[in-house]
Amino acid sequence: MIRLDQLDDIDRQLLSILQLNAREPVAEIARRLGVARTTVIARIARLEQAGVIGGYTLKLGRDLVDPSLQAYVGITVQPKAGRDVIRRFSRIPEVQQLCAVSGEFDYVAWLRVGTPEQLDKILDQIGEMEGVIKTTTSVVLARKIDRGDVARTG
């Protein structure tokens, strides 16, 4: 199995192009990469065989399917309160993802709600949780780069 850190620059650029548009013509990919069409075809085949490319799929426009409001919330918790906070977060369906992080916060939560009022309610709920010291919220205004679902580890 090939890991992403073992790929060269051309493979990484190729994957980036395919993540944006898996239907990009091979000739256009070759032109953008400055390599022959046969090189692109061979690299795609090798990446597919190695499991780096796991398949191709249709991705509906997210705003068409789900015109929700999204926010990222940085959360600082009291020492030794992490397990309880994680358990409480797991009961909030609007929490799409909760990640332990290094840096200023202990956790970052990705929230998806329908309205600003719902976001306000969830933020109040989080802020009132026992063990939560501080939250900092950033509302997503626009996605400038969206590579969709990427391979997850762990």
Side-chain angles (χ1 to χ4, degrees), residues 31-52:
R31 186 192 64 73
R32 289 174 59 183
L33 296 177
V35 298
R37 288 179 67 250
T38 55
T39 300
V40 171
I41 293 166
R43 283 178 178 255
I44 290 172
R46 180 178 49 81
L47 293 168
E48 287 173 344
Q49 279 184 324
V52 174

Side-chain angles (χ1 to χ4, degrees), residues 84-105:
D84 289 335
V85 169
I86 291 169
R87 187 173 38 78
R88 289 184 188 102
F89 267 86
S90 70
R91 295 182 189 141
I92 303 172
E94 293 83 2
V95 174
Q96 301 298 298
Q97 203 172 62
L98 179 66
C99 299
V101 297
S102 64
E104 181 180 352
F105 307 109

Side-chain angles (χ1 to χ4, degrees), residues 61-154:
R62 195 175 291 163
D63 291 336
L64 173 70
V65 176
D66 183 11
S68 62
L69 181 65
Q70 298 173 55
Y72 289 93
V73 183
I75 303 132
T76 304
V77 299
Q78 294 174 339
K80 300 183 182 180
R83 281 192 184 153
D84 289 335
V85 169
I86 291 169
R87 187 173 38 78
R88 289 184 188 102
F89 267 86
S90 70
R91 295 182 189 141
I92 303 172
E94 293 83 2
V95 174
Q96 301 298 298
Q97 203 172 62
L98 179 66
C99 299
V101 297
S102 64
E104 181 180 352
F105 307 109
D106 298 308
Y107 300 97
V108 173
W110 171 34
L111 306 180
R112 184 184 295 264
V113 297
T115 65
E117 292 78 15
Q118 286 177 308
L119 177 60
D120 185 50
K121 180 180 174 184
I122 298 300
L123 292 174
D124 284 347
Q125 184 179 351
I126 292 169
E128 293 169 358
M129 273 186 198
E130 188 175 328
V132 171
I133 297 172
K134 173 185 160 189
T135 64
T136 301
T137 303
S138 296
V139 174
V140 176
L141 300 175
R143 287 181 295 279
K144 301 298 185 179
I145 296 174
D146 184 354
R147 291 193 171 96
D149 292 334
V150 294
R152 292 183 171 90
T153 58

